[in-house]
Amino acid sequence: MRLLDFIYPSRCELCEQDLTGNHTLCLSCTALIKRTQSPYCQYCGKNFEGLVADLPRCPECQDLHFAFHFAFSYGAYTREARTLIAHYKYLRRIHLTHSLGKLLTQAFKDEPRLTAQNDWLVIPVPLHRRRQQWRWFNQSSEIGKAFARENSLDFGEVLTRTKHTQRQALLSKKQRLQNLKGAFKMKQKHLRAQSTMNRSIILIDDVYTTGATVHECAKVLKDSGEAEKVVVLTLLRG
Ligand SMILES: [Zn+2]
Ligand SMILES: [Zn+2]
């Protein structure tokens, strides 16, 4: 028995039924988080029902030009998925890290454009220092680290968030983009070490909503970090 089993008895995080083994979600609750399946938008990762083929661009991102190559998510932002992420972030249920990292691995394996390469550098979207102090940890960093370790990929926290912005959720699409301008930078030591130069990068975040945050991060990685390309992998697609 691991130490964590004493602290957190094995119980489903959502329905609280007892579980055997090293799980944090029961099978029926896992199924409530709707996985991304064809057809989905090849650019922003949005899942569509009823269409027969994958869309190169969906109506939502038709006129958008992101700095990243494409975005892909494990599943949809359902009520259950929202609860799970809220427990993780706000109730600080840090023992969920391993399971959430595994969901990223499943998404990674589902998407041929990701499995096509094995030299990815995994980079999490950073939190502002103030928010991280308040929350104790950066969720994207923890799940990104677990994901990178499981898949033997390089991992680096090369970005820093220099602007403490308003909660994005309260803003319109246009305001979000404006609000985030200049919010991220490469860390000096990674700039000097050219950590991202010519690299293919998987940028990790917990939830993709408008793409504004990951767009800004990808821009910095390409413009100052001289990365070759940036793709986005998130747990959930809002
Ligand atoms: Zn359950
Ligand atoms: Zn789209």
Side-chain angles (χ1 to χ4, degrees):
M1 203 180 216
R2 301 168 313 148
L3 178 63
L4 279 179
D5 294 334
F6 288 104
I7 306 171
Y8 298 106
S10 215
R11 212 168 269 164
C12 175
E13 186 66 27
L14 292 175
C15 69
E16 300 191 344
Q17 68 163 292
D18 289 331
L19 297 173
T20 48
N22 179 20
H23 297 289
T24 43
L25 272 190
C26 74
L27 283 176
S28 36
C29 287
T30 308
L32 291 173
I33 303 171
K34 209 175 143 284
R35 277 179 83 165
T36 305
Q37 278 169 342
S38 268
Y40 58 88
C41 173
Q42 297 287 298
Y43 195 38
C44 75
K46 179 126 184 130
N47 218 157
F48 288 91
E49 275 171 45
L51 293 163
V52 280
D54 290 341
L55 294 171
R57 296 251 181 160
C58 72
E60 256 182 51
C61 65
Q62 202 97 71
D63 307 318
L64 299 177
H65 298 281
F66 292 126
F68 54 83
H69 206 54
F70 65 85
F72 189 70
S73 308
Y74 169 82
Y77 202 36
T78 56
R79 190 161 51 90
E80 293 76 14
R82 207 171 8 235
T83 307
L84 186 65
I85 292 292
H87 282 196
Y88 185 54
K89 277 160 79 165
Y90 307 116
L91 300 181
R92 300 167 177 143
R93 309 274 284 162
I94 296 175
H95 69 294
L96 291 172
T97 299
H98 182 70
S99 305
L100 296 176
K102 274 204 177 310
L103 297 185
L104 283 183
T105 295
Q106 286 181 33
F108 177 78
K109 290 184 173 159
D110 276 353
E111 174 49 63
R113 290 174 295 173
L114 293 174
T115 48
Q117 257 175 274
N118 58 9
D119 56 350
W120 297 104
L121 167 60
V122 178
I123 295 177
V125 168
L127 286 180
H128 189 268
R129 189 171 38 84
R130 257 184 8 231
R131 185 160 296 164
Q132 184 155 342
Q133 271 168 359
W134 176 79
R135 197 179 284 162
W136 300 351
F137 72 112
N138 172 3
Q139 70 281 356
S140 306
S141 180
E142 297 305 316
I143 58 175
K145 213 180 291 169
F147 162 73
R149 197 182 306 128
E150 193 174 5
N151 296 282
S152 309
L153 299 171
D154 294 340
F155 174 84
E157 295 179 87
V158 310
L159 293 173
T160 173
R161 187 168 190 145
T162 50
K163 220 161 105 182
H164 187 64
T165 49
Q166 288 183 55
R167 291 273 308 273
Q168 288 287 101
L170 307 172
L171 304 172
S172 74
K173 212 171 203 173
K174 208 168 165 193
Q175 285 172 320
R176 284 179 192 223
L177 283 168
Q178 201 54 43
N179 190 36
L180 282 170
K181 274 223 160 76
F184 301 97
K185 276 198 175 74
M186 287 278 295
K187 287 182 182 167
Q188 275 306 322
K189 67 169 186 188
H190 286 290
L191 258 187
R192 276 198 302 272
Q194 301 183 324
S195 312
T196 50
M197 190 180 260
N198 301 327
R199 295 290 310 256
S200 296
I201 288 161
I202 297 184
L203 188 60
I204 301 284
D205 208 357
D206 52 348
V207 184
Y208 178 111
T209 312
T210 59
T213 304
V214 281
H215 166 71
E216 280 301 318
C217 290
K219 213 164 74 182
V220 171
L221 289 168
K222 286 171 81 174
D223 292 351
S224 356
E226 295 178 63
E228 159 124 12
K229 78 170 166 197
V230 180
V231 303
V232 176
L233 180 62
T234 69
L235 278 178
L236 304 173
R237 177 65 167 85

